[in-house]
Amino acid sequence: MVQLISVSEESKVTLHNIYQLYLYDFSQFTEEDINSCGLFGVSLDHYWQDPRWNPFFIVHDGKIMGFLVVLFENYDVDPDPTHVIYDFMILKKHRRNGFGKEAAIKAFNLYKANWKVAQMSSNEAAVLFWRSVITEYTNDTYTELYRPDFKKYVQSFNNKDF
């Protein structure tokens, strides 16, 4: 069983290290380069300075197998909140075993809200993954639109009545 463990500020270095793997995977789509230290530039400090950001480790059998970040677009106190899966990564060796789907569903179940999930159109595996997960989770009651300005697909749904 997968667990979502909130990332404490004390675990920031661990999350930063995992982000390096995530950005490496993503570099085929973003064409981002490493810096002179051999790292991708990423700052995560805002995750602990702004309560809208909610990072979680994805853990199975006591081992971190990835992470996800939930962004409260308009805070959770809004009467009609919208939350976004902002970043999501499962280590390659754990992919296609149902762990990502389980983690995504657990994240959705944490908050009753309007949800958005976006993927770069060039990342076909991510588009197919999220369509499949959201179709099953919502019983195919979601909307999808393509944002040509960002070259992204965005799925939207709400789980307030689930």
Side-chain angles (χ1 to χ4, degrees):
M1 181 165 74
V2 167
Q3 295 177 286
L4 299 182
I5 308 292
S6 183
V7 180
S8 67
E9 192 167 4
E10 293 75 32
S11 297
K12 176 171 47 175
V13 170
T14 302
L15 184 60
H16 183 272
N17 292 340
I18 297 170
Y19 254 97
Q20 295 300 309
L21 303 172
Y22 174 68
L23 294 171
Y24 167 76
D25 277 356
F26 243 70
S27 66
Q28 69 178 312
F29 306 110
T30 64
E31 298 185 19
E32 187 176 350
D33 291 316
I34 55 175
N35 62 27
S36 61
C37 296
L39 299 171
F40 291 95
V42 62
S43 174
L44 305 178
D45 291 335
H46 63 282
Y47 287 171
W48 296 276
Q49 296 166 353
D50 181 341
R52 294 178 303 152
W53 296 96
N54 301 275
F56 296 89
F57 289 127
I58 300 169
V59 177
H60 178 69
D61 285 341
K63 296 178 184 173
I64 297 171
M65 60 183 345
F67 74 94
L68 64 86
V69 178
V70 176
L71 168 63
F72 297 167
E73 251 188 12
N74 53 358
Y75 291 97
D76 206 28
V77 295
D78 188 295
D80 196 27
T82 298
H83 297 342
V84 176
I85 298 287
Y86 190 79
D87 284 330
F88 185 93
M89 191 270 261
I90 298 288
L91 293 171
K92 283 188 177 188
K93 77 180 220 171
H94 297 293
R95 292 179 191 168
R96 301 192 183 278
N97 290 318
F99 297 125
K101 174 181 165 184
E102 187 178 348
I105 289 170
K106 284 186 182 261
F108 296 146
N109 286 338
L110 286 174
Y111 310 102
K112 297 297 183 189
N114 296 304
W115 282 93
K116 292 182 187 176
V117 183
Q119 312 86 48
M120 298 171 73
S121 59
S122 57
N123 188 348
E124 294 175 14
V127 173
L128 293 173
F129 169 79
W130 285 109
R131 282 178 181 160
S132 172
V133 168
I134 294 168
T135 294
E136 182 177 326
Y137 182 74
T138 66
N139 197 27
D140 203 23
T141 57
Y142 72 97
T143 59
E144 179 179 279
L145 62 93
Y146 178 69
R147 294 280 311 262
D149 49 338
F150 294 110
K151 297 181 182 173
K152 289 186 176 187
Y153 288 99
V154 181
Q155 295 85 23
S156 301
F157 64 94
N158 90 52
N159 64 351
K160 295 175 194 171
D161 298 325
F162 292 7

